[in-house]
Amino acid sequence: MEEKLSNLAEPDGQPQRRGELSPTLCAAITETLGAGQQVMLFINRRGFAPIVQCKTCGWHADCPDCSIGMTLHKRTGKLLCHCCGHTMPMPTKCPDCGSGEISTAGTGVEKIESEVHARWPSARTAIVSSDTMMSRQALERLVTQMESGEIDIVIGTQILAKGHHFPNLTLVGVIDADMGLFGADFRAGERTFQQLFQVAGRAGRGEIPGRVLLQTYQPEHLVLKAIVAGDRDALMQMDLKGRRAAGMPPYGQLIAVIVEGKNESALQKFCAGLAACAPRADGVKAFGPIPAQIYQIRNWFRMRFLVSAPERVRVQEFVQHWMAAAPKTPANIKVKIDVNPQNFM
């Protein structure tokens, strides 16, 4: 398999692309389609655009029940919250100032499909995401269509990452390859490597060699360089070295304490009392409270504590003593304990 890093500029360094697909990727798609072979375009974002805002006053479409923006899904003409599922019609004018200058930004699978239709109008396409593959039967039909050559370009999210064998698929293009590299999760690099390496494995599974093109703003990032080189072990050693220095798993232990409440002021008061009674123990650190990365979900406000300890400390006993000494939990407050959390949202 030939793997290449493609940045978002032409060889002279000047950004000249139009749309979301780079000239390098577009040329490869044209070549692949001309040879009668299939293409996969991967972007791990549903819908058309994740940002909807007013150009005049700055209003942006947020979910009324969650503290995240709503995503435009052009196929349905609606805005959708990817956290709670709340929907509303796409506004034709700003609900705050009345301006008709509503703009969208960001890219999802639907926007990629729209660009593909504009560039290769005769290409037969399919979108694979949780919005379109809502049953096992739907996914099985997609696999059958790919195998029979009824689809030229398949565009999808992480559902496409593994488990599918398409013998005539010889080109994989990844849009926003660095999307998952930055955030609060110390496993971001590991997870990005796993996901993109699995996506890359879809190309060239038949007799014809495959190619993988990664579009990125960070071509020198160690994770992306490891993917291109196919050097998993070097990345693992580097990642483990950083975790050892920071005391992160597997060289340390983490327990998250998530506190949720319907009443924001009651939540803040309870968390202050919880912080005040945190016990002290050698090697154990309790951080927080801080607002969760998604502060509000389905009208529940969320705060987080994080307990960190070395490998040999009985950190679960620490948390048990802490919770036993905590103020009585009000009826409208929930406390959740997550040992070795896999999700920091």
Side-chain angles (χ1 to χ4, degrees):
M1 177 186 296
E2 176 190 358
E3 296 182 343
K4 296 180 180 179
L5 264 179
S6 172
N7 62 19
L8 300 181
E10 289 291 78
D12 61 2
Q14 297 301 315
Q16 297 179 7
R17 70 191 184 107
R18 297 176 181 177
E20 304 303 320
L21 306 179
S22 70
T24 302
L25 180 54
C26 287
I29 294 172
T30 299
E31 179 184 346
T32 303
L33 294 178
Q37 298 158 13
Q38 293 169 312
V39 176
M40 175 188 292
L41 298 177
F42 174 83
I43 179 168
N44 200 24
R45 189 181 286 130
R46 297 156 54 197
F48 184 85
I51 301 172
V52 178
Q53 61 185 12
C54 174
K55 288 184 177 180
T56 303
C57 72
W59 167 88
H60 45 90
D62 292 331
C63 176
D65 301 326
C66 306
S67 55
I68 64 170
M70 301 190 74
T71 297
L72 170 62
H73 284 247
K74 234 176 181 180
R75 287 190 167 194
T76 62
K78 293 182 179 180
L79 302 175
L80 173 65
C81 173
H82 288 174
C83 195
C84 72
H86 180 87
T87 63
M88 62 175 64
M90 174 66 179
T92 56
K93 61 182 181 180
C94 176
D96 277 3
C97 72
S99 167
E101 294 292 315
I102 301 293
S103 67
T104 61
T107 304
V109 287
E110 290 182 1
K111 182 178 285 188
I112 298 300
E113 184 187 47
S114 177
E115 183 173 344
V116 165
H117 284 163
R119 292 181 180 273
W120 300 277
S122 62
R124 298 162 297 176
T125 65
I127 287 181
V128 178
S129 73
S130 58
D131 301 303
T132 62
M133 300 288 120
M134 303 184 72
S135 68
R136 182 178 180 85
Q137 290 74 21
L139 190 56
E140 288 175 350
R141 284 194 297 271
L142 180 279
V143 171
T144 300
Q145 290 176 310
M146 285 290 292
E147 291 175 344
S148 63
E150 298 175 46
I151 297 171
D152 300 311
I153 303 176
V154 60
I155 305 155
T157 61
Q158 61 186 353
I159 295 177
L160 282 175
K162 59 182 178 180
H164 307 298
H165 176 68
F166 304 132
N168 199 38
L169 196 155
T170 60
L171 174 65
V172 169
V174 179
I175 293 91
D176 285 348
D178 44 18
M179 183 189 302
L181 288 174
F182 307 100
D185 189 350
F186 68 90
R187 300 182 185 89
E190 173 192 352
R191 287 175 168 164
T192 297
F193 182 91
Q194 290 175 340
Q195 184 179 76
L196 296 187
F197 203 78
Q198 289 170 346
V199 171
R202 299 312 99 203
R205 297 177 69 85
E207 296 180 359
I208 306 172
R211 287 185 293 171
V212 180
L213 301 180
L214 309 179
Q215 286 188 179
T216 174
Y217 289 100
Q218 308 286 334
E220 298 305 315
H221 196 286
L222 293 175
V223 170
L224 296 178
K225 292 178 75 173
I227 294 171
V228 172
D231 197 346
R232 180 196 62 185
D233 292 345
L235 179 65
M236 287 177 60
Q237 292 304 315
M238 178 198 69
D239 200 28
L240 287 172
K241 183 178 179 181
R243 292 190 193 188
R244 184 185 289 110
M248 291 290 105
Y251 304 105
Q253 303 175 77
L254 296 176
I255 293 182
V257 179
I258 303 102
V259 188
E260 303 178 349
K262 285 275 190 178
N263 184 291
E264 191 172 9
S265 60
L267 174 67
Q268 299 286 351
K269 181 178 179 181
F270 178 77
C271 286
L274 198 58
C277 69
R280 296 182 181 276
D282 289 341
V284 181
K285 297 179 181 179
F287 303 96
I290 62 169
Q293 192 165 348
I294 302 179
Y295 178 51
Q296 182 182 4
I297 296 179
R298 296 181 177 89
N299 285 320
W300 282 81
F301 299 95
R302 306 164 66 244
M303 301 291 290
R304 292 180 68 102
F305 294 85
L306 186 66
V307 180
S308 171
E311 290 179 83
R312 300 182 183 277
V313 173
R314 295 182 177 179
V315 67
Q316 295 189 39
E317 291 184 4
F318 172 90
V319 174
Q320 287 175 343
H321 291 315
W322 184 12
M323 294 300 108
K328 182 179 178 181
T329 306
N332 61 346
I333 297 287
K334 298 178 183 178
V335 179
K336 301 177 181 178
I337 309 298
D338 189 357
V339 179
N340 291 322
Q342 298 295 307
N343 188 327
F344 289 82
M345 299 297 284

